[in-house]
Amino acid sequence: MPSRRTPSPAERRVVITGMGMVTPYGLGTAAYWDGISNGVSATRALTSFEPRPEIPCHVVADVPDFHPEDFISHRDLTRVPRVVPMTIAAAREALVSSGLLTADEVASGPERGQTHPWSVVIGSAGGGIEFAEIQYLRWFEGRILDTSPYAVSSSIVGMLSSELSIAFALHGRSHTISDGCTSSSDALAYAADTIRLGRADVVLSGGADACITPGILAGYCLMKAVPTHFNDRPWAASRPFTADREGFVFGEGAWIFVLEALDHAEARGATILAELVGSGSTCDAFHRVSLRGDGGESARAMTLAMDEAGVAADEIDYVNLHGTSTPLNDIVETNAVKLALGEEKAYQTPLSATKSLIGHPQGASGAAGLAATLLSMRHSFIHPTINLDNPDPACDLDYVPLVGRPAEIRTALCNCVGFGSKNTALVVRSLAD
């Protein structure tokens, strides 16, 4: 057994004690696990706005039947973007599942004068960009008086952490990380470091994005990043590692976790889901939207995460892949896993792509993958990579195709890549005997 890195006396171990989510399957963790474990596609036909000639992709992975008024005041319905009530809903479930707050406390909101010292570190690529598009369209159409006075303040990415801090009276740090698709992975790593360095006992962290708009989807169509030949088969559009993959399905959602110092969690008798033991982050420094073909820097991010965790490659039981379903990225990620784990171990290790099921939730991707990984650890079952019915010969690892399988997972690696050729990886480990 390889030796593990020994934390310095000033560092504390970081554990995950709660999680909550709003996903393309609907509200809650149970719905998410039911969908991904059974291989049910959550990609569907676009209905939130009328398709236009400049938007040939008609497939998305949006959140169905979401009612913002259940989570924010009626007054705020026109003052904040859709991502805010989604994130609050996910945070409510996370806080209740952690035991830090009761269901009544999160539903009623903090009493006057009640505060908590906990911090917030959230990842989001778009933040309030959906709200901005609506407001700016009114400006450009000359409807100035119809524009919200919150057009600027509610559109900036950084407002998301503030909305959570306000909603739950959290007076610790309130930061938003915006690094494109790696935003939530980077936020989780930053949150963990905040606890390790003794700057917080509890951090609400994770990721959220909800920016399925005509402008953004049209932009992805111009980039040829999204599929256009599966409009009549939306369930088949997200197909990582297949020979006929075209691009990612634009998605949305919120996945929030309670991160906590181990000593703090043990002192209050919390249930521990897993320990976040390592993270690694690199940049290819190569291109605005493309990865370097050899996968070397992505592999280095995974290696850095394993090194920080004190985990050897042969201890990795499962890898949750970024798996966008884009022609280049899937090959690069396959090569990166081989470099990080070594070819023999890479071929022996089960991997799966959560995006095959839920599409690509942008900056929330890493958090969505972490949630899938924690649930796989809890249930001793790996969810499948669906639609993998025509494998690409260049993608030749065990992606758990089509049907999930039982597996004991003690240590897992979660990989994430993003625009600007960024790479971030997390390592989590079960504390169960």
Side-chain angles (χ1 to χ4, degrees), residues 22-40:
V22 176
T23 79
Y25 297 109
L27 292 176
T29 299
Y32 187 59
W33 178 245
D34 184 61
I36 64 174
S37 64
N38 288 297
V40 178

Side-chain angles (χ1 to χ4, degrees), residues 120 157-168 170 174-176:
V120 178
V157 180
M159 61 80 207
L160 190 54
S161 62
S162 296
E163 292 287 351
L164 279 185
S165 298
I166 293 167
F168 301 104
L170 310 183
S174 185
H175 296 171
T176 304

Side-chain angles (χ1 to χ4, degrees), residues 393-410:
C395 301
D396 57 353
L397 298 177
D398 177 10
Y399 308 106
V400 189
L402 305 178
V403 180
R405 71 174 72 133
E408 292 298 323
I409 304 171
R410 178 169 173 78

Side-chain angles (χ1 to χ4, degrees), residues 179-200:
D179 280 335
C181 302
T182 63
S183 295
S184 57
S185 293
D186 292 331
L188 286 156
Y190 175 41
D193 286 344
T194 299
I195 293 172
R196 287 192 185 102
L197 294 174
R199 292 172 177 164

